[in-house]
Amino acid sequence: MIDFLASRIIEGGLISESEAYALLDYVEQGKEAARERLYEASHRITRSLNGVRFDTCSIINCKSGNCPEDCKWCAQSAHYSTQAEAYALLSDEPSVKLARYNRQNGISRFSLVGSGRKASNREIEHLSATYKAIAQVTDIKCCASLGLLNEEQLSKLYLAGVKTYHCNMETAPSFFRQLCTTHTQQDKLATIEAARRVGMQICSGGIIGMGETARQRIELALYLRSIGSLSIPINILQPIPGTPLGSAPPLSVDEIFCTIAYFRFVNPTAYLRFSGGRKRLSDEEQRKAIYIGINAAITGDMLTTDGEQVAHDMAMIEQMGLHNEWEYEWNK
């Protein structure tokens, strides 16, 4: 079954919803031998349809904490008592400095990420000026992750140079309400559709390890395919003390590997992006995840680090024979 489905995908086909769930059942019944065959098949799909392209991006937390939303995984929610730092919107200088630094070190994309339900109109004006300032000093491609914006706000960001909008769906539709009650996936989808209308491409993925089942991870992969997400961040939950998921049990390494492979079978031409939580994997495990199907990563340094992370990641990409992509863009 695994090789049959992989061959069809490589030839340009897609697997159906029922086949995706059947694949999960087949692998779980076959255990270790079936998992290894799944990993090899996912690798063949990735290389056949995506070649050796690898997409890199970096972020800065331009506004932190005091978020009114009740997402159970998030340290920045005002509903929970955590040690997360809280600060208002940053000035232009640190964002411009970090964007230029990251581009000089080979990173392709840079995103301003802000806490809260959505940025205000005044904040959008400020952020637009920041993006214009970034464009004056570097050719790094600009992205944004600023909540549930409307079309007018997104249009201003697009005109300021933002080409990609990020808005994660987070988890399977059947599980989302158990993790967040202050907004819906339909709210997120409305933002994604508005971003597309103004000319942006979108980036949307989720978090695994929040108590969802393996079938719900498949459900998320299928949902992301249905909305056309071709840049899919795969975050591994980092339990934050003080949040409702602060004591969530960790996924096994094979659960993480299998999730990557299932996402590749369902979304064969997408950039599957290493995101939050990958530090819990060893270097060897990260390399295997890339072998299986990861072909993008959030990398780079934050404001107080010394450059080891970006150097490490760029070396790993090169050592695995992958090409840090610059020219290629995914479809909107």
Side-chain angles (χ1 to χ4, degrees):
M1 178 183 189
I2 293 172
D3 293 334
F4 171 77
L5 291 176
S7 294
R8 189 208 300 166
I9 292 167
I10 289 169
E11 291 170 2
L14 292 174
I15 65 172
S16 67
E17 178 179 339
S18 61
E19 287 171 332
Y21 290 122
L23 177 64
L24 169 65
D25 293 338
Y26 180 88
V27 172
E28 290 191 339
Q29 291 168 9
K31 302 199 182 297
E32 183 175 356
R35 288 198 300 267
E36 290 300 327
R37 286 177 56 204
L38 176 73
Y39 302 158
E40 290 298 324
S42 179
H43 171 76
R44 292 198 304 275
I45 293 169
T46 304
R47 292 293 168 265
S48 296
L49 298 182
N50 301 280
V52 295
R53 292 193 301 264
F54 198 95
D55 189 66
T56 53
C57 64
S58 54
I59 65 173
I60 186 170
N61 195 12
C62 66
K63 178 186 175 184
S64 182
N66 296 320
C67 180
E69 306 303 290
D70 68 354
C71 308
K72 291 185 177 180
W73 62 86
C74 186
Q76 297 192 58
S77 172
H79 293 260
Y80 317 124
S81 178
T82 70
Q83 299 301 310
E85 186 178 6
Y87 52 82
L89 203 60
L90 295 176
S91 65
D92 291 354
E93 183 180 2
S95 297
V96 172
K97 181 179 178 180
L98 189 60
R100 180 168 52 189
Y101 171 81
N102 284 337
R103 183 67 189 120
Q104 288 170 345
N105 283 274
I107 297 172
S108 300
R109 306 176 192 277
F110 181 69
S111 183
L112 305 184
V113 180
S115 67
R117 182 180 179 88
K118 62 180 292 185
S120 68
N121 288 337
R122 179 177 295 180
E123 288 172 332
I124 292 296
E125 294 295 335
H126 177 102
L127 292 163
S128 295
T130 300
Y131 282 113
K132 291 175 182 176
I134 290 171
Q136 291 177 353
V137 300
T138 178
D139 64 351
I140 200 165
K141 298 174 181 179
C142 287
C143 313
S145 183
L146 301 166
L148 305 175
L149 302 187
N150 59 41
E151 190 166 339
E152 180 181 0
Q153 293 173 314
L154 289 160
S155 181
K156 288 181 180 178
L157 292 175
Y158 182 74
L159 293 174
V162 177
K163 302 307 180 187
T164 303
Y165 199 74
H166 168 262
C167 187
N168 273 348
M169 285 298 170
E170 309 299 4
T171 191
S174 66
F175 194 53
F176 185 85
R177 193 67 177 172
Q178 296 182 48
L179 297 172
C180 178
T181 67
T182 49
H183 61 268
T184 68
Q185 286 182 320
Q186 284 303 308
D187 295 328
K188 291 173 172 287
L189 186 57
T191 295
I192 285 172
E193 291 173 344
R196 283 194 169 117
R197 286 195 297 272
V198 305
M200 293 180 183
Q201 59 187 14
I202 64 104
C203 175
S204 184
I207 308 171
I208 60 174
M210 297 194 291
E212 77 286 344
T213 65
R215 290 183 71 83
Q216 285 170 323
R217 289 175 213 133
I218 296 280
E219 182 187 348
L220 174 60
L222 289 162
Y223 183 47
L224 293 169
R225 186 175 77 181
S226 76
I227 67 170
S229 180
L230 291 179
S231 173
I232 300 177
I234 299 177
N235 294 271
I236 304 164
L237 179 69
Q238 296 177 289
I240 305 295
T243 67
L245 297 183
S247 59
L251 296 178
S252 70
V253 172
D254 273 316
E255 285 177 304
I256 295 169
F257 288 165
C258 282
T259 298
I260 293 166
Y262 295 140
F263 269 62
R264 177 56 68 205
F265 268 75
V266 173
N267 299 278
T269 60
Y271 278 117
L272 301 184
R273 191 174 302 276
F274 251 158
S275 301
R278 70 177 169 114
K279 282 291 189 179
R280 61 156 293 195
L281 300 176
S282 68
D283 279 2
E284 180 180 356
E285 290 163 346
Q286 289 190 42
R287 289 171 185 271
K288 184 165 183 177
I290 292 171
Y291 178 86
I292 291 168
I294 290 292
N295 59 342
I298 298 178
T299 184
D301 304 327
M302 299 307 288
L303 291 176
T304 58
T305 53
D306 59 7
E308 292 182 356
Q309 182 181 339
V310 60
H312 171 274
D313 284 353
M314 292 304 182
M316 180 169 61
I317 292 166
E318 182 178 356
Q319 290 162 7
M320 294 192 69
L322 301 176
H323 174 63
N324 182 29
E325 190 57 59
W326 170 249
E327 296 297 333
Y328 184 80
E329 296 287 356
W330 56 88
N331 294 328
K332 294 178 180 179

